């Protein structure tokens, strides 16, 4: 990594393509060996192949002094570049509609969903001759936006990917994605990204409980404030996802950590 950082400096590279986490890794290596990315001619970073957030974009842009752009692709279609953000708006990835026809479907029923609704992205290649794909199910969750973009391009945009349809939970007939709950939790100050979703059964009905660790500062606050926050979170989950959930704020470091991928979902329902 250190050598790569030095090569980028010596060649005067202006664009970096990587996964966002690798870019930050590069930055660390460069930083340790005295190379400041902000002083390099580097202008643009093209990042994809793993989920990342707006917060991570801001972090990369600030540390590396460049525009950090989101790109989407999959090897079954053409590899990277199925869709990419424009530098002017950085608000949704423009998809090459003259080559690829996108649809969003409900991953369970297969029914097509209207623009704006989150579901599974399905792609059909229009110009590919070797291995054409017809209504290929990507398992990636996103939504389509046909409104005109600030940059003037008219191609449809797909939103930042929200996870995989394989992660979907069905709670009392409603499709719920863990990332949607995570998104709602992250909007509140004082909550940490350590959370767990527990699905159970009571009187033959599915129950949903969300446990989330609070920060040390919030934990030291009045009980009344914590209860108000719990109520507020329950209300927003009901409002945005359409299911009732019990929210429990947990002491810092009380949710068990796992090595490797965090275990977010505990499904205690009996499988019939
Ligand atoms: Zn645009």
């Amino acid at each position: 990594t250190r050598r790569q950082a030095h090569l980028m400096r010596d060649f005067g590279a202006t664009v970096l393509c990587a996964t966002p986490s690798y870019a930050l890794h590069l930055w660390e290596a460069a930083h340790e060996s005295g190379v400041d990315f902000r002083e390099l001619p580097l202008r643009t970073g093209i990042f994809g192949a793993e989920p990342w957030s707006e917060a991570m974009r801001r972090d990369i842009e600030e540390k590396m002094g460049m525009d950090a752009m989101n790109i989407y692709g999959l090897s079954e279609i053409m590899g990277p570049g199925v869709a990419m953000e424009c530098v002017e708006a950085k608000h949704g990835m423009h998809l090459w509609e003259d080559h690829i026809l996108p649809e969003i479907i409900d991953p369970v029923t297969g029914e097509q969903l209207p623009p704006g609704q989150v579901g599974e992205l399905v792609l059909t290649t229009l110009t590919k001759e070797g291995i054409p794909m017809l209504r290929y199910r990507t398992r990636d969750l996103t939504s389509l936006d046909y409104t005109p973009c600030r940059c003037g391009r008219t191609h449809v945009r797909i939103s930042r990917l929200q996870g995989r349809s394989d992660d979907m939970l069905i709670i009392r007939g409603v499709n719920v994605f863990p990332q949607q709950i995570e998104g709602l939790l992250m909007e509140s100050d004082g909550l940490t990204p350590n959370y767990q979703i527990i699905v159970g059964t009571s009187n033959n009905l599915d129950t949903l409980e969300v446990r989330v660790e609070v920060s040390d500062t919030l934990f030291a606050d009045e009980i009344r404030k914590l209860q108000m926050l719990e109520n507020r979170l329950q209300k927003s989950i009901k409002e945005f996802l359409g299911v009732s959930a019990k929210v429990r704020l947990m002491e810092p470091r009380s949710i068990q950590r796992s090595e490797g991928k965090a275990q977010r979902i505990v499904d205690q329902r009996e499988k019939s």
Side-chain angles (χ1 to χ4, degrees), residues 1-6 8 16 19-38 40 42 56 59-60 62-64 66:
T1 5
R2 183 170 294 198
R3 197 168 150 261
Q4 285 171 329
H6 283 258
M8 284 180 58
L16 168 67
T19 61
S21 57
Y22 193 75
L24 284 172
H25 185 50
L26 259 183
W27 177 84
E28 267 169 15
H31 189 68
E32 280 164 17
S33 64
V35 175
D36 185 352
F37 268 98
R38 284 169 303 189
L40 303 188
L42 203 59
M56 197 158 167
D59 192 37
I60 293 175
E62 202 182 289
K63 282 179 173 160
M64 303 183 84
M66 61 168 153

Side-chain angles (χ1 to χ4, degrees), residues 84-94 148-155 157:
M84 190 179 155
E85 287 176 329
C86 58
V87 72
E88 296 92 338
K90 289 183 196 162
H91 187 67
M93 296 177 274
H94 290 278
C149 181
R150 218 167 59 215
C151 71
R153 291 178 185 87
T154 52
H155 282 161
R157 286 168 289 155

Side-chain angles (χ1 to χ4, degrees), residues 248-261:
R248 275 179 64 191
L249 298 182
M250 310 284 288
E251 228 175 285
R253 292 165 293 278
S254 59
I255 293 177
Q256 204 192 336
R257 305 288 190 266
S258 52
E259 293 181 12
K261 214 175 161 205

